[in-house]
C-alpha cells in the first residue's frame, strides 16, 4: 500500500495516519499544544527546513486541524491555531506523551509535567469508557464490525 492510499482505506487508523502519521506533523502538533503558533517558532524548535514546515502546516490547515489567522498586516504574517477538530487530537497527543514518559523518560522522570487546571494536580493520561467512566485498557476492549465496514472486508480474528 502506498502512503497516498491511506486516506481511502476503510480503516479509521489508516485515514488518521494520512493526516497525522508523519513524525514532523506530530512534532508540530506537540508544539501547538504547548502554545507555539508561528511558522518561525516551529522551524526553530524543530530544526527542519522551511519546506517541510510549510508542507505539514498546509496539510493540517487543508484538513481542518489548524487554521491560519493573520497577526500582522505589513507584511501579512499568520499564526496557526487549533480548530475544534485539532483540539480533538489532545487525547491522542496525551496518550503518546504518557507512553513516552513511561518507557523513555528514564530515572530522572518526564521532561514536562502536565497540571490539571481544575484541581491543580499533575496527571497522566487515562482512557475511560465514554458510557460508564471506568478505565479502559487494551485487554478490556473487544472490536466488532461497525456501520462503516466495507462489505468485502474480512473480519478481524
Amino acid at each position: 500500500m502506498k502512503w497516498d492510499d491511506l486516506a481511502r482505506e476503510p480503516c479509521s487508523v489508516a485515514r488518521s495516519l494520512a493526516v497525522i502519521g508523519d513524525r514532523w506533523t506530530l512534532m508540530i502538533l506537540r508544539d501547538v499544544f504547548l502554545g507555539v503558533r508561528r511558522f518561525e517558532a516551529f522551524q526553530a524548535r524543530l530544526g527542519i527546513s522551511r519546506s517541510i514546515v510549510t508542507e505539514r502546516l498546509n496539510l493540517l490547515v487543508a484538513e481542518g486541524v489548524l487554521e491560519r489567522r493573520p497577526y500582522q498586516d505589513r507584511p501579512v504574517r499568520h499564526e496557526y491555531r487549533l480548530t475544534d477538530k485539532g483540539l480533538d487530537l489532545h487525547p491522542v497527543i496525551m496518550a503518546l506523551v504518557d507512553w513516552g514518559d513511561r518507557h523513555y523518560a528514564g530515572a530522572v522522570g518526564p521532561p514536562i509535567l502536565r497540571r490539571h487546571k481544575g484541581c491543580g494536580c499533575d496527571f497522566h493520561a487515562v482512557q475511560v469508557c465514554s458510557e460508564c467512566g471506568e478505565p479502559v485498557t487494551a485487554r478490556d476492549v473487544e472490536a466488532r464490525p461497525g456501520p462503516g465496514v466495507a462489505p468485502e472486508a474480512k473480519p478481524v480474528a
Side-chain angles (χ1 to χ4, degrees):
M1 176 184 317
K2 295 181 180 175
W3 184 257
D4 293 342
D5 295 337
L6 287 176
R8 292 185 289 281
E9 283 293 304
C11 169
S12 295
V13 172
R15 291 174 183 167
S16 299
L17 285 175
V19 178
I20 65 165
D22 171 82
R23 65 180 170 178
W24 297 121
T25 303
L26 286 170
M27 296 302 287
I28 286 171
L29 288 169
R30 174 208 61 184
D31 283 356
V32 172
F33 280 108
L34 289 174
V36 177
R37 305 275 182 260
R38 298 184 179 173
F39 184 96
E40 294 77 15
F42 291 120
Q43 187 184 16
R45 286 174 58 90
L46 298 174
I48 57 177
S49 72
R50 293 181 64 81
S51 62
I52 292 175
V53 176
T54 299
E55 285 177 21
R56 297 330 186 263
L57 288 172
N58 285 344
L59 173 65
L60 291 170
V61 169
E63 289 292 332
V65 174
L66 297 177
E67 66 181 10
R68 287 172 45 143
R69 291 187 190 167
Y71 69 88
Q72 177 179 308
D73 289 332
R74 294 185 185 176
V76 176
R77 296 196 187 266
H78 294 90
E79 64 181 13
Y80 295 86
R81 296 289 185 134
L82 289 159
T83 62
D84 288 341
K85 185 177 182 179
L87 287 167
D88 284 346
L89 285 167
H90 188 254
V92 175
I93 300 300
M94 289 307 303
L96 284 170
V97 166
D98 188 58
W99 186 80
D101 287 351
R102 286 177 193 238
H103 298 285
Y104 296 104
V108 256
I112 296 175
L113 299 175
R114 275 128 177 115
R115 178 168 290 141
H116 180 218
K117 291 179 184 178
C119 71
C121 294
D122 292 340
F123 71 96
H124 66 276
V126 177
Q127 187 175 24
V128 298
C129 173
S130 61
E131 302 304 312
C132 71
E134 290 293 316
V136 177
T137 68
R139 289 186 171 90
D140 301 320
V141 177
E142 173 186 336
R144 58 191 182 87
V149 71
E152 70 278 0
K154 296 177 184 173
V156 178

